Amino acid sequence: MTKGTFPVESFKGLETPFYYYDVNLLKETLSIVKEITHKYGYIQHYAVKANANHRILQTIATAGFGADCVSGNEVKAAINAGFPASKVVFAGVGKTDKEINLALDYNIFCFNVESLPELEVMNELAEKKGKTASVAIRINPNVDAHTHEYITTGLNENKFGFSISFLPKVFEKIKTLKNIELIGIHFHIGSQITELDTFSELCEKLNDIQAICDKEGINIQHINLGGGLGIDYDDPNANPIPDFKGYYELINQKVSLRKGQILHTELGRSIVAQCGSLISRVTYVKEGESKKFVILDAGMTDLIRPALYQAYHKIENISSNLPVQQYDVVGPICESSDCFAKDYDLNETKRADFVALRSAGAYGEIMASQYNCRELPKAYLSDSL
Ligand SMILES: *Cc1c(COP(=O)(O)O)cnc(C)c1O
């Protein structure tokens, strides 16, 4: 397998670990998504939780995307980075009064609502401000995303959204709430979904739900299919840009929109994952009894996905072209789960070599913690090195 290209010379003056983002790849990804969604007349939001680095957000806002937020601070971060409030949606099962008030003050486009008590609270808070909150109902379509259980969100026993059988009741309730306007329905069934069949199933459920809305005499203007498109963690060099074409073609084929309806998607991972790598220096190469360990200066505090979801990130020694050897690649944190890979083929590795953990642009930097009193990793964009 080929390795990625990195400006290793420019890395030499930098303290590790840090995230490195390839801006050209990000921009190319954005322009491909824009071109396809423009063709179909769909609106694209970016799910801020995947990566809220200010410059990354600015780049995505400049490309004309909307923002999908799951906390009040994400709403703030998106707007500070240049996303217009009129393109911001706010989802999440546990929005606090403070967060709802903040989003009402910004006049965001839409709240994705996940429970009846939330609707009531939102109605009260909007009434106090003399405003109307535009909402989309998050529906749990009971589609299995066939992904890791921690990132499946669309099954009935899940904490997210309303079950389909609740819909008539929710519509009735909304009619009684004077400061709530129903403008859409929303879905999000999971993340790192690589089988397009799964989205196909979601589209079919959507068509069933449209029929329920018709029957109830409810006119839905906005349909938000959520995010979840997966990426190729195994071979990022062969597949740096996910199959957006197949994904949107499928939606276009399967979904029957009513007159005037607008379709939205809110992709996170597939937009930013491949443009980011976690760059680390090798602190030690340690010989065990039967194994060799590469000990990095990056650990689970910098990139938690392997420890949290047993996720795989391709690892490359970008300083060495020596013949391959097998190593366990581990971090310095005092936890056994602080291990990036076992029995992994790396070019022969020495102390101070640079090692890249690939496909780390999504759910990487943003999930970093300071456990063990570590510093948060820094971040550099390729155009500012
Ligand atoms: C996380 C999330 C997304 C983005 O998911 P990806 O798998 O990163 O594309 C979109 N919408 C909502 C509501 C989310 O919670």
Side-chain angles (χ1 to χ4, degrees), residues 280-306:
S280 168
R281 274 192 183 85
V282 175
T283 309
Y284 300 107
V285 178
K286 167 177 160 171
E287 304 256 353
E289 207 161 79
S290 59
K291 275 178 176 263
K292 280 189 292 235
F293 295 91
V294 166
I295 303 170
L296 300 179
D297 61 8
M300 63 191 279
T301 52
D302 307 295
L303 179 62
I304 200 176
R305 296 189 68 257

Side-chain angles (χ1 to χ4, degrees), residues 7 11 20-25 55 275 380-385:
F11 289 171
Y20 171 75
Y21 297 108
D22 177 345
V23 184
N24 290 336
L25 178 57
R55 284 230 29 231
C275 78
Y380 300 97
L381 271 66
S382 55
D383 61 358
S384 58
L385 265 188

Side-chain angles (χ1 to χ4, degrees), residues 47 49-50 68-70 91-92 112 114 138 153 160 186-188 190-193 224 226-229 266-270 362-363:
K49 76 171 188 284
D68 165 67
C69 304
V70 291
N112 293 336
E114 312 217 6
R138 179 163 178 176
T153 56
F160 299 100
H186 172 234
F187 306 87
H188 177 68
S191 203
Q192 184 52 16
I193 297 168
N224 184 336
L229 181 64
E266 41 186 34
L267 300 172
R269 183 193 313 270
S270 52
Y363 308 107

Side-chain angles (χ1 to χ4, degrees), residues 35-90:
E35 193 184 311
I36 302 173
T37 50
H38 183 77
K39 183 171 102 185
Y40 294 126
Y42 299 158
I43 293 182
Q44 176 55 42
H45 303 256
Y46 164 66
V48 172
K49 76 171 188 284
N51 187 324
N53 177 295
H54 186 66
R55 284 230 29 231
I56 298 273
L57 289 183
Q58 281 181 322
T59 308
I60 299 171
T62 305
F65 283 51
D68 165 67
C69 304
V70 291
S71 75
N73 282 346
E74 279 192 4
V75 171
K76 251 193 234 172
I79 288 172
N80 288 342
F83 289 93
S86 60
K87 289 187 184 173
V88 169
V89 301
F90 183 10

